[in-house]
Amino acid sequence: MTSRLQASHEPATPSTPRRRTVVKAAATVAVATPLIAGALPAQAAAEGPAFLHGVASGDPLPDGVLLWTRVTPTPEATPGSGTGPDTEVSWELSEDKAFARIVAQGTVTSRAASDHTVKADVRGLKPATDYYFRFSAGGATSPVGRTRTTPAYDSSAGNVRFGVVSCANYEAGYFSAYRHLAARQDLEAVLHLGDYIYEYASGGYPATDDVLRAQKPAHEILNLADYRLRHGHYKTDADLQTVHARHPVIAIWDDHEVANDAWSGGAENHSPESEGPYADRVRAAKQAYFEWMPVRPATEGTVYRRIRYGRLADLHLLDLRSFRDRQVGVGSGKVDDPNRTITGRAQLDWLKQGLTQSQAQWKLVGTSVMISPMAFGSLPAYLLEPLAELLGLPSGGLAVNVDQWDGYTDDRRELLAHLTDNGIKDTVFLTGDIHMAWANDVPVKAATYPLSKFAATEFVVTSVTSDNIDDILGVAPHTVSLVAAAAIKAANRHVKWVDMDSHGYGVLDVTAARTQMDYYVLSDKADANASATWARSYRTASGTQKVERVDRPVA
């Protein structure tokens, strides 16, 4: 490869559907014309190279950013095909959209071994600066992307603002949330908290014979070719291409990037007898993920890492699937076992050390599953059954969701004790997974809340498209689910708000004085042109470790 600044290419060194056991359960936002041209659905490649899957950037640094694209060198070199010739791909990074002030350029090689995906890890850039980038190969030019570097590590940024999303099931709806985030010009980056893809067979989740839009491949994905094709098919979505072209995306994975309710040695949605060794499936899924996502491969094939936004905020990103022990039944008495872990020892120590040594005012922790303790009390039968199905609960009585931190309480106890014992304040957990929006205090002991200590706060964003309560019941939003929401709040006083029905995204704004999450909801996930409307806002004032409602979104 050649470049004017330092850069490196980072190549990545069928079954029946099963029951889904855990839900990955004042103003209207105008949808502006995307500022980045050319983010269009994929179409058949011509005889020469073509860029059919858009462009992306991610994992920004004060002096650099990771650029991504995939080139289709010949029509038959489709994702997962393992075919196609090596192709030289040029890239350019500019301070302006017209590429009159190019500051870095280089070449990388597209190969079948990495599914013709390419990355350029560009360094030598200015902090807190917008840049524009594009790729070219064989006379074809990619769409133009915009990216942005983070503030200098020692800077005191006035604010940083992120889009926050999770749980985007292609067959369950359109990705309008991505389009609305792409239209915003005020975001540093978009945080994707997991379930970027889903592994199920077509019509497998939710179980239906009439999908809104069919995914590829039609069968459940199991091997490397399958995972590559599923990633590639997702990236034919115009709204997904547009958000990647407009903002750097900082992503972690949850379970559906591999299989439902994944743990270190298996998954609910995997049968070794009929589907082969689970380790082979994980290896394939992770290789495809690092090929197709604008994420820097890390040691041990994991995604936990840290991204700093000056002295204002550190973003600690967790991997809660690769190292966890197997989920246990709620009646087993093992959820409190100190020998069981959701993080793994090395990752928990890394997180604790990072929180202690952080010089940033705000410690933001990206976690794919909810850390707040949660008890689900008695509910009417018509609500208990679908809620139990979505949340993986037993069919009656008090229960906990053992796929969340509630199933690994000793890790949570250790982490929250570390925060309180060391006087670490202004910690905010950012969470996806359960297809609902929540605003929670995180108490050290839920049973004695609000008299016990507050260790942190938590903002949970709902799904982009994946089903929630009203979808499962086939009822109008915010009707019967209000009973369940009231019961959950009554049993969990630290829960300040829960929305069980909406789809959408969050916008997190961080200043020295507070961290605020604005929740936006879509008019209809089945409408490709769905509008987005502000629903609620909650903030955490510095030093309080408590959430409070705000009557308007950040301007």
Side-chain angles (χ1 to χ4, degrees):
M1 173 179 50
T2 62
S3 71
R4 288 171 53 189
L5 294 182
Q6 178 184 351
S8 66
H9 178 218
E10 298 281 358
T13 33
S15 60
T16 55
R18 296 176 176 80
R19 179 180 62 87
R20 173 68 178 138
T21 58
V22 178
V23 175
K24 290 306 194 193
T28 300
V29 177
V31 182
T33 300
L35 299 180
I36 305 301
L40 300 173
Q43 51 189 315
E47 289 304 314
F51 295 93
L52 306 181
H53 299 88
V55 298
S57 67
D59 283 4
L61 301 167
D63 68 339
V65 70
L66 188 73
L67 308 181
W68 175 95
T69 194
R70 187 203 193 251
V71 62
T72 302
T74 59
E76 64 275 9
T78 54
S81 66
T83 65
D86 291 0
T87 304
E88 185 176 274
V89 182
S90 299
W91 58 268
E92 297 176 304
L93 189 81
S94 174
E95 293 181 332
D96 68 309
K97 288 185 286 187
F99 288 83
R101 300 192 302 276
I102 295 174
V103 298
Q105 58 187 349
T107 60
V108 291
T109 301
S110 154
R111 295 184 173 91
S114 57
D115 208 21
H116 296 290
T117 62
V118 294
K119 295 180 181 179
D121 197 350
V122 187
R123 303 298 174 92
L125 305 179
K126 295 184 292 186
T129 302
D130 288 352
Y131 291 97
Y132 299 87
F133 64 96
R134 65 188 178 189
F135 297 84
S136 60
T141 302
S142 75
V144 173
R146 169 201 167 269
T147 191
R148 182 171 176 81
T149 53
T150 61
Y153 289 147
D154 60 353
S155 69
S156 299
N159 82 300
V160 294
R161 189 173 298 175
F162 305 98
V164 189
V165 290
S166 74
C167 304
N169 183 357
Y170 185 92
E171 292 198 334
Y174 292 99
F175 293 162
S176 300
Y178 294 152
R179 184 178 72 256
H180 288 279
L181 286 171
R184 296 186 67 120
Q185 302 181 49
D186 59 343
L187 303 180
E188 293 283 338
V190 171
L191 309 182
H192 203 296
L193 297 172
D195 293 343
Y196 182 95
I197 64 168
Y198 279 72
E199 83 282 12
Y200 290 95
S202 184
Y205 175 66
T208 179
D209 294 326
D210 185 23
V211 300
L212 181 65
R213 51 179 189 161
Q215 63 192 3
K216 296 179 181 178
H219 57 267
E220 183 178 333
I221 53 178
L222 291 172
N223 57 40
L224 181 57
D226 291 343
Y227 282 98
R228 284 170 164 176
L229 179 53
R230 185 66 57 86
H231 272 282
H233 191 246
Y234 268 60
K235 279 193 168 68
T236 64
D237 182 90
D239 294 331
L240 181 57
Q241 287 193 17
T242 302
V243 77
H244 274 299
R246 185 66 184 87
H247 305 297
V249 171
I250 301 170
I252 57 175
W253 55 49
D254 194 21
D255 53 345
H256 289 296
E257 283 83 357
V258 181
N260 179 46
D261 286 2
W263 56 285
S264 60
E268 182 271 343
N269 201 25
H270 183 81
S271 170
E273 293 76 19
S274 61
E275 297 172 331
Y278 181 68
D280 292 348
R281 185 173 186 173
V282 172
R283 191 178 303 110
K286 288 185 175 182
Q287 179 175 336
Y289 185 89
F290 283 120
E291 288 171 348
W292 280 88
M293 297 294 291
V295 172
R296 287 188 183 88
T299 58
E300 300 183 13
T302 181
V303 292
Y304 76 81
R305 62 201 189 280
R306 189 172 292 116
I307 296 177
R308 297 172 57 184
Y309 281 82
R311 292 184 176 272
L312 184 59
D314 279 348
L315 181 58
H316 310 262
L317 302 161
L318 302 186
D319 176 356
L320 299 183
R321 294 294 169 182
S322 297
F323 311 106
R324 70 158 70 193
D325 290 308
R326 187 173 188 172
Q327 300 89 340
V328 296
V330 293
S332 68
K334 295 182 178 180
V335 295
D336 300 326
D337 186 344
N339 294 316
R340 298 182 65 257
T341 182
I342 189 172
T343 60
R345 184 73 257 166
Q347 182 176 198
L348 186 55
D349 288 344
W350 168 87
L351 176 59
K352 290 166 59 180
Q353 182 181 44
L355 293 168
T356 300
Q357 296 178 349
S358 175
Q359 297 181 355
Q361 178 170 350
W362 291 96
K363 277 66 69 175
L364 309 177
V365 183
T367 172
S368 58
V369 295
M370 191 155 66
I371 192 169
S372 298
M374 202 60 51
F376 299 89
S378 298
L379 289 170
Y382 73 94
L383 282 175
L384 183 59
E385 183 176 352
L387 190 62
E389 176 186 350
L390 290 171
L391 293 171
L393 307 176
S395 58
L398 288 172
V400 296
N401 183 340
V402 295
D403 193 56
Q404 299 179 168
W405 289 73
D406 273 332
Y408 306 84
T409 62
D410 196 68
D411 274 2
R412 180 173 62 197
R413 177 204 56 76
E414 182 177 339
L415 177 57
L416 299 186
H418 180 76
L419 295 176
T420 56
D421 292 348
N422 290 280
I424 301 172
K425 298 184 182 298
D426 297 343
T427 301
V428 179
F429 292 91
L430 306 173
T431 308
D433 178 66
I434 55 175
H435 307 183
M436 305 176 192
W438 304 65
N440 305 325
D441 294 343
V442 183
V444 174
K445 294 183 179 180
T448 56
Y449 176 92
L451 301 178
S452 59
K453 296 179 181 178
F454 312 128
T457 55
E458 181 173 32
F459 297 127
V460 183
V461 295
T462 189
S463 64
V464 172
T465 60
S466 301
D467 278 12
N468 44 30
I469 293 294
D470 63 320
D471 299 315
I472 296 295
L473 293 176
V475 298
H478 312 301
T479 53
V480 296
S481 67
L482 297 180
V483 177
I488 287 173
K489 290 179 64 177
N492 303 273
R493 289 173 292 175
H494 54 282
V495 175
K496 304 308 177 184
W497 178 63
V498 55
D499 177 355
M500 296 182 146
D501 294 334
S502 300
H503 302 280
Y505 58 92
V507 174
L508 182 77
D509 188 80
V510 184
T511 69
R514 57 98 186 102
T515 294
Q516 178 169 323
M517 180 70 85
D518 299 330
Y519 296 88
Y520 291 85
V521 300
L522 300 176
S523 58
D524 182 1
K525 68 172 184 175
D527 179 3
N529 299 308
S531 60
T533 305
W534 171 74
R536 286 230 185 173
S537 293
Y538 286 86
R539 70 184 177 194
T540 300
S542 178
T544 66
Q545 286 67 251
K546 297 183 67 176
V547 298
E548 58 183 358
R549 188 174 177 180
V550 185
D551 62 3
R552 62 178 62 88
V554 175

